[in-house]
Amino acid sequence: MGELILQHKEELAMAETLDTGKPLWLSTNVDIPRAAGSYQFFANLISTMGTEAYPMEVGALNYVVRRPIGVVGLINPWNLPLLLLSAKLAPCLAMGNAVVLKPAEWTPLTATLLAGILQEAGIPDGVVNVVHGFGPGSAGEAIARHPGIGAVAFTGETTTGKHIMQAAAGNLKKLSFELGGKNPNIIFADSNLEEVVDTTIRSSFINQGEVCLCGSRVYVEKPVYEQFLEKFTAKTREQRVGDPLEPKTQIGALISRQHLERVEGYVQLARREGGAILTGGGRPSSATRGFFLEPTVITGVNRECRIVREEVFGPVVTVESFASEEEVIERANDTHYGLSASLWTNDARRAFRVAEQIEAGLTWVNTWFLRDPRTPYGGMKESGIGRQGGLFGIDFYSEQSTICLKF
Ligand code: NDP
């Protein structure tokens, strides 16, 4: 599967870009290779994986076998379509399950192409079923409700997760949820500001800010607040927004008119809440068609504001200053989300201390978006249930059965 996806890389990358509006270089260099990597990673993992076995003094052996669940439902969002679908499908197939998978209706192309690649790879008919249709009251809900489906892995909004949980209660399906985030990006005064600014541009605006792991709440320690803001705003203004097929484009189009209007609505709300728009906030003058929004930096808001509390999922960040470590930890954790966080410092003791207090499934220190695929991935609080990644993914997509054998 991995090899075939790479062989079809150009076609898949173009389909992903046409569907989502993300820059073609991003689909080509990140989305599609990472999707292929999931199949290669889990194929390697299961070929080296062992099991647990415990001999008992009474003369018995307890050992654990893994079995497939049976049929698993996979429900996917539109922001990283093939990448997130593959992160679920690879461990799911590795554990021997059959699959009903639904892409988001905004982005059905790469899942459809994948169905052809599955056939080319020799996966028997009926093992993976790609089903199109909307979520509520249609294909998504049917997957969540169906009594023949034993587990559902879902990535999407927290509110959708709550609906799926209710619908899945009928036969007590196993659930894995990767949900929304409102991730803090904490910058201490002792960090290397050039490096911080470059990475913060990426962590704020890559994929038009439509990545659940984007850091949308930036907190900067007071002594460097003005300096950071000046450099960050200047660099944000340099970002090229426009045609996703143009190699120099850094920020493409948002997924839909509806989503663009929603994100713009948040910018207007921030203004009403007393915020100052330092740069961006509008549609670029160069783009006469398409759902483009300039990258936007907002200051003058506080934790009571909806722009600071709710997930915007666009190229929009708020920047606030902080005075002490205790204060910023408390503000970073003051959210019902708990997906990821970044912190920047050259003080190793502080790095350990703060990282362990942040309520997030994944915390980066002096970096962003880097993760060993063997480590768990998922959110705390209302950002998710369970973990994917390495053996954690294997656990979700299999049933473990203990066999006790008396000698
Ligand atoms: P949605 O929750 O709106 O949709 C996700 C998927 O669920 C789509 O396929 C959708 O179908 C389907 N769906 C919607 N309602 C139901 C329902 N009642 N029952 C079953 N299925 C349903 O999310 P978006 O597609 O808007 O994606 C953006 C969200 O995803 C953001 O909140 C983001 O944070 C989150 N996300 C989380 C990630 C993580 O790993 N934690 C990673 C990436 C995104 P359709 O749209 O076709 O109607």
Side-chain angles (χ1 to χ4, degrees):
M1 288 292 302
E3 282 167 18
L4 284 171
I5 287 175
L6 291 179
Q7 280 171 28
H8 289 271
K9 188 167 87 172
E10 310 298 321
E11 181 191 5
L12 288 164
M14 182 58 87
E16 206 71 298
T17 285
L18 293 177
D19 242 0
T20 57
K22 71 176 73 194
L24 184 58
W25 59 262
L26 191 59
S27 306
T28 310
N29 299 328
V30 178
D31 289 66
I32 307 306
R34 282 210 183 187
S38 281
Y39 300 94
Q40 292 162 333
F41 173 80
F42 281 103
N44 285 332
L45 185 68
I46 56 165
S47 60
T48 55
M49 199 171 87
T51 189
E52 287 182 72
Y54 300 100
M56 297 173 74
E57 278 180 23
V58 294
L61 180 70
N62 279 244
Y63 65 99
V64 182
V65 293
R66 285 183 191 272
R67 299 175 184 169
I69 293 166
V71 184
V72 177
L74 307 180
I75 304 177
N76 295 285
W78 45 255
N79 61 331
L80 308 167
L82 191 67
L83 189 161
L84 290 175
L85 185 164
S86 297
K88 299 183 185 71
L89 182 59
C92 188
L93 285 179
M95 285 294 98
N97 297 288
V99 183
V100 181
L101 73 84
K102 185 194 109 54
E105 279 297 275
W106 287 116
T107 55
L109 290 182
T110 46
T112 309
L113 292 170
L114 188 76
I117 293 175
L118 285 157
Q119 279 185 324
E120 207 179 325
I123 307 274
D125 284 351
V127 173
V128 180
N129 305 275
V130 180
V131 175
H132 296 288
F134 288 104
S138 178
E141 203 174 313
I143 290 172
R145 281 198 192 284
H146 201 286
I149 292 180
V152 170
F154 164 74
T155 304
E157 282 184 23
T158 297
T159 45
T160 312
K162 292 179 184 177
H163 289 300
I164 292 179
M165 194 173 223
Q166 282 180 340
N171 65 330
L172 289 177
K173 288 182 181 63
K174 258 179 117 173
L175 296 173
S176 160
F177 284 173
E178 308 289 350
L179 307 174
K182 189 73 190 174
N183 310 311
N185 178 7
I186 303 168
I187 299 160
F188 286 100
D190 67 350
S191 53
N192 174 350
L193 269 200
E194 298 299 327
E195 194 187 350
V196 176
V197 167
D198 284 349
T199 309
T200 300
I201 290 284
R202 238 169 21 96
S203 69
S204 305
F205 305 129
I206 201 159
N207 205 56
Q208 303 71 246
E210 295 167 328
V211 179
C212 53
L213 300 171
C214 275
S216 52
R217 291 184 287 149
V218 183
Y219 296 104
V220 189
E221 204 171 10
K222 275 191 174 140
V224 293
Y225 177 71
E226 293 299 338
Q227 201 188 347
F228 170 84
L229 214 50
E230 193 183 314
K231 287 177 190 285
F232 181 61
T233 310
K235 203 138 208 166
T236 302
R237 287 199 187 101
E238 287 169 13
Q239 295 297 297
R240 296 171 76 121
V241 186
D243 184 352
L245 303 181
E246 165 64 48
K248 292 210 172 101
T249 292
Q250 286 152 313
I251 300 178
L254 272 69
I255 186 72
S256 62
R257 179 183 306 282
Q258 188 184 321
H259 188 56
L260 170 66
E261 287 170 358
R262 181 177 172 274
V263 176
E264 285 177 323
Y266 270 107
V267 176
Q268 284 154 17
L269 178 70
R271 277 201 185 94
R272 290 201 299 279
E273 289 178 320
I277 316 297
L278 293 197
T279 183
R283 302 186 189 187
S285 51
S286 54
T288 49
R289 296 189 307 136
F291 313 133
F292 298 97
L293 186 70
E294 292 167 329
T296 304
V297 180
I298 301 173
T299 55
V301 285
N302 59 49
R303 66 168 92 192
E304 309 302 331
C305 299
R306 280 179 58 199
I307 188 78
V308 177
R309 305 206 72 80
E310 298 175 18
E311 185 181 42
V312 176
F313 218 57
V316 177
V317 287
T318 57
V319 187
E320 298 172 65
S321 65
F322 68 90
S324 72
E325 189 180 303
E326 295 69 29
E327 177 201 333
V328 78
I329 293 171
E330 195 269 322
R331 279 163 67 187
N333 289 338
D334 183 17
T335 167
H336 62 275
Y337 290 116
L339 190 57
S340 72
S342 323
L343 67 102
W344 295 88
T345 178
N346 278 322
D347 177 339
R349 287 193 176 134
R350 172 151 59 201
F352 284 115
R353 205 167 50 226
V354 178
E356 291 190 15
Q357 292 178 74
I358 297 289
E359 293 165 359
L362 182 53
T363 298
W364 285 288
V365 181
N366 298 335
T367 186
W368 182 73
F369 211 61
L370 189 64
R371 185 180 69 86
D372 186 296
R374 290 167 292 194
T375 54
Y377 168 80
M380 291 184 184
K381 296 162 54 178
E382 291 193 24
S383 284
I385 297 180
R387 294 292 183 270
Q388 301 280 325
L391 291 172
F392 304 89
I394 293 293
D395 279 347
F396 177 72
Y397 292 105
S398 60
E399 288 291 3
Q400 298 191 48
S401 175
T402 300
I403 297 176
C404 178
L405 194 151
K406 186 96 172 27
F407 297 148

